[in-house]
Amino acid sequence: MSLGALRPSPLVEQATDHLREQITSGEWAVGTRLPGETTLAKALGVGRSTVREALRALAGAGLVQARQGSGVFVIADKPHEDWSARLRRAAVTDVYEVRVLVEVEAARLAARRRTEADVTALREALARRRDAGNAGDAEFVRADIALHETVVAAANNPVLTGLFAEFVPLLEQRLLDLVELLDLRSGDPHHGDESHAALVDAVVAGDAEAAARVLRDELEQTLALLRSRPGR
């Protein structure tokens, strides 16, 4: 077996790349038992600890699996797709449907858990959205999403906050496209102000069901617009 000796730079990354190539190229087919750590270390010109880390990286990518007492086996010839990459490829309507599920529950939790600091942040975010009504579409969309982020943050659940943050870059671009394509602000530069004010009021008042209802109605309206677009 000849894998090619490695250059003295980030050795774990290089070892991982070399071993991944053996798998994705078909040299090591699914079901193949990999050579032992000592053999791989000698072939790559590195220490066993480097090989071990490389194998962990490949396992994390879903390419190999260690089986107690049997060795390390190839279980797939393509790595798991990165979550962010999957989101970038997804149809915006699919992303938005998940957004509805996440945000509506977040709004319900926010109404129950919001702190005084959250109340202040919500009112400030609403004010910034209103100010952005006098600005361009890009700034308005950013302010709109920032208000939604503030509602999610008020749920005080770091997993929800992190999950929503994954959606933000894609949502920002797609919503900007929607605003520009449908000219949503031509008749009202503060498009959606009433519903967003009602959302903030419901969260501040601690009315969980009203907060969820207002936000669901608002998001469902936008989702309907997205579905009406050709090539959605």
Side-chain angles (χ1 to χ4, degrees):
M1 177 180 60
S2 177
L3 297 178
L6 303 182
R7 301 180 307 278
S9 67
L11 293 181
V12 172
E13 289 84 348
Q14 287 188 63
T16 303
D17 289 344
H18 275 63
L19 297 177
R20 184 189 295 113
E21 175 62 24
Q22 294 294 110
I23 295 170
T24 58
S25 69
E27 186 71 22
W28 291 336
V30 174
T32 300
R33 180 181 181 277
L34 270 58
E37 287 182 4
T38 301
T39 302
L40 289 174
K42 183 176 180 181
L44 293 169
V46 297
R48 289 180 60 187
S49 61
T50 298
V51 170
R52 198 171 299 121
E53 289 300 318
L55 291 175
R56 286 198 186 106
L58 294 177
L63 292 172
V64 303
Q65 182 183 67
R67 297 174 184 170
Q68 188 68 33
S70 300
V72 178
F73 290 80
V74 177
I75 59 172
D77 57 9
K78 293 181 181 178
H80 290 318
E81 188 173 34
D82 176 79
W83 172 243
S84 296
R86 186 175 299 178
L87 275 180
R88 288 193 296 271
R89 285 196 309 101
V92 68
T93 48
D94 291 339
V95 174
Y96 224 85
E97 286 174 354
V98 176
R99 182 188 178 190
V100 173
L101 296 173
V102 170
E103 277 201 73
V104 169
E105 184 57 30
R108 186 177 281 112
L109 290 174
R112 294 169 179 160
R113 298 176 177 176
R114 82 282 182 271
T115 64
E116 286 305 312
D118 292 325
V119 168
T120 299
L122 285 164
R123 287 174 172 156
E124 290 176 349
L126 180 61
R128 286 193 294 271
R129 188 183 188 279
R130 285 174 167 163
D131 289 342
N134 301 314
D137 289 342
E139 185 172 341
F140 180 77
V141 168
R142 282 194 295 270
D144 177 83
I145 293 177
L147 173 55
H148 285 267
E149 286 185 281
T150 306
V151 172
V152 173
N156 288 290
N157 181 315
V159 176
L160 269 177
T161 301
L163 180 60
F164 186 70
E166 293 284 342
F167 292 100
V168 168
L170 177 63
L171 287 174
E172 186 172 310
Q173 184 56 55
R174 299 299 177 84
L175 289 179
L176 178 57
D177 292 344
L178 183 69
V179 167
E180 292 175 345
L181 179 66
L182 300 182
D183 203 15
L184 294 179
R185 300 177 64 216
S186 59
D188 179 12
H190 298 273
H191 178 77
D193 180 72
E194 184 177 345
S195 62
H196 285 78
L199 171 62
V200 170
D201 286 345
V203 173
V204 170
D207 191 336
E209 295 312 310
R213 182 177 63 254
V214 169
L215 186 52
R216 180 180 292 280
D217 289 347
E218 190 245 319
L219 293 177
E220 290 285 1
Q221 288 176 15
T222 306
L223 183 55
L225 288 174
L226 289 168
R227 286 172 173 155
S228 71
R229 288 183 57 189
R232 63 188 181 278

